[in-house]
Amino acid sequence: MNKTSRIYLAGPRGLAGSAILRRLGAEGFTNILVRDHEDLDLRNQAAVERFFWETRPEYVVLAAARVGGILANSTRPAEFIYDNLMIDTNVIHAAYRSGVRKLLNLGSSCIYPRLAPQPLKEEYLLSGALEPTNRAYAIAKITAIELCDHYRSQYGCDFISAMPTNLYGPGDNFDLASSHVVPALIRKFHEAKLRDDQSVTVWGTGAPLREFLHVDDMAEAALFLMERFSGAGPINVGMGEDISIADLAMLIKRLVGFQGDILFDLSKPDGTPQKLLDVSKLKHLGWSAHIPLEEGIRQTYAWYKEQAVAV
């Protein structure tokens, strides 16, 4: 890509998309096409086709998605599978029809089987049963990978798929009804501190192991892959190390400065026991994450406090 290439970024307001938008700007790209959901509903095939023919992007980063944590995925699975299937299908097909030179499809590490060996290698995809709590979302994102691969094999499209691990960072969703674990815990501990509560309750046993990647690292990796990688199948993007939910809660408690206890609600689901990505493929290409978890959470908490004050 050169600095004046027409780059369409789908999903510029989301956690991933906003970080990629910042990165593109920092790298000096000057012709970035963005549309808010109000201006372009990516679930509407006719609208998406019209947009692509009118703007003729050369490159596409597909970061738009309906996302959420265990609660949102468990209670609204129809929305998660329908919206994500429609978004991915419409954008990928329109990119093919309008002659896009390259497309990066951003997925999620939840595509892998629930009990796959750890760390998760790319070849484990479709080798076993999915985690029930996010199966609808995972099936949609697996379909997007398959679309990219088959458009590559049948039509010669340079469409690639990157699978980031759990993302967090500035711009995250802190709504407790739909957020992921890091922003949810930051908000819970922050509000408990303000109220001088005696305890904070965390879903599940605290035993599951999770990997977390700062969204700015992900954005850097996305541009790296757009310029350095071409191939079928997913490529993992992560830190290559994980932490238990219990230890994560302790870390966030300390960074927030909450003095009370941590309680675990054993009636709530844990989700997948462990989810750690094998990132050797990406490291071999020459990229590694560099923002440590503690530093990243400290930055994220500072951003959250600024937003809370502004609101």
Side-chain angles (χ1 to χ4, degrees):
M1 298 186 298
N2 61 55
K3 301 305 181 184
T4 58
S5 296
R6 292 187 306 280
I7 304 169
Y8 170 48
L9 172 60
R13 283 193 178 184
L15 175 62
S18 60
I20 293 171
L21 185 60
R22 291 194 300 271
R23 187 73 190 187
L24 286 168
E27 293 287 334
F29 290 94
T30 59
N31 199 358
I32 306 166
L33 307 171
V34 296
R35 295 291 186 276
D36 291 335
H37 176 74
E38 294 79 12
D39 300 318
L40 177 61
D41 185 350
L42 295 178
R43 298 168 300 178
N44 183 323
Q45 185 179 34
V48 173
E49 291 270 345
R50 184 166 56 251
F51 168 77
F52 270 78
W53 285 110
E54 289 174 352
T55 60
R56 300 306 291 263
E58 300 169 82
Y59 301 91
V60 173
V61 178
L62 177 48
R66 177 178 288 279
V67 298
I70 288 180
L71 176 62
N73 274 275
S74 300
T75 56
R76 306 199 323 267
E79 294 176 37
F80 276 78
I81 192 167
Y82 176 82
D83 288 354
N84 286 297
L85 281 174
M86 296 302 291
I87 290 168
D88 295 340
T89 300
N90 290 340
V91 172
I92 291 168
H93 187 65
Y96 151 65
R97 281 176 47 82
S98 63
V100 165
R101 296 177 62 179
K102 188 163 190 174
L103 177 146
L104 170 62
N105 163 46
L106 276 183
S108 165
S109 58
C110 75
I111 62 168
Y112 291 109
R114 170 180 166 81
L115 298 178
Q118 302 288 324
L120 296 162
K121 297 179 181 292
E122 288 88 351
E123 56 263 33
Y124 296 163
L125 182 62
L126 296 175
S127 65
L130 298 168
E131 161 59 36
T133 57
N134 61 18
R135 186 175 64 187
Y137 177 76
I139 287 173
K141 303 316 286 182
I142 291 170
T143 300
I145 298 169
E146 291 289 301
L147 281 167
C148 288
D149 287 356
H150 295 310
Y151 277 65
R152 170 181 288 273
S153 64
Q154 184 172 342
Y155 303 124
C157 299
D158 191 4
F159 294 173
I160 62 174
S161 296
M163 297 299 116
T165 190
N166 302 292
L167 300 175
Y168 72 97
D172 212 336
N173 169 27
F174 289 83
D175 180 354
L176 295 180
S178 59
S179 60
H180 288 102
V181 63
V182 169
L185 289 178
I186 287 175
R187 178 172 175 176
K188 281 186 173 184
F189 281 113
H190 176 74
E191 292 183 349
K193 176 185 175 182
L194 295 181
R195 294 189 301 260
D196 198 25
D197 290 345
Q198 298 302 304
S199 64
V200 164
T201 300
V202 177
W203 273 33
T205 65
L209 296 166
R210 291 291 181 269
E211 177 184 19
F212 298 97
L213 179 70
H214 194 284
V215 71
D216 288 343
D217 271 344
M218 181 282 304
E220 181 182 293
L223 266 64
F224 176 90
L225 290 169
M226 283 292 282
E227 297 182 328
R228 308 282 185 89
F229 175 72
S230 179
I235 183 166
N236 291 335
V237 181
M239 287 289 292
E241 57 188 54
D242 56 15
I243 184 174
S244 73
I245 297 300
D247 287 343
L248 175 69
M250 288 293 296
L251 173 61
I252 294 176
K253 171 187 171 181
R254 174 168 60 83
L255 294 176
V256 170
F258 176 66
Q259 299 299 315
D261 297 325
I262 298 175
L263 306 178
F264 293 94
D265 184 351
L266 304 186
S267 70
K268 303 298 185 183
D270 271 342
T272 304
Q274 184 180 19
K275 193 167 63 173
L276 174 65
L277 294 182
D278 183 320
V279 293
S280 56
K281 186 175 179 180
L282 184 54
K283 281 188 175 181
H284 182 73
L285 290 173
W287 187 88
S288 297
H290 57 84
I291 301 176
L293 181 62
E294 181 166 339
E295 177 188 336
I297 291 178
R298 185 178 288 111
Q299 292 175 5
T300 306
Y301 180 46
W303 181 89
Y304 171 71
K305 285 191 293 184
E306 290 176 3
Q307 297 305 304
V309 170
V311 172

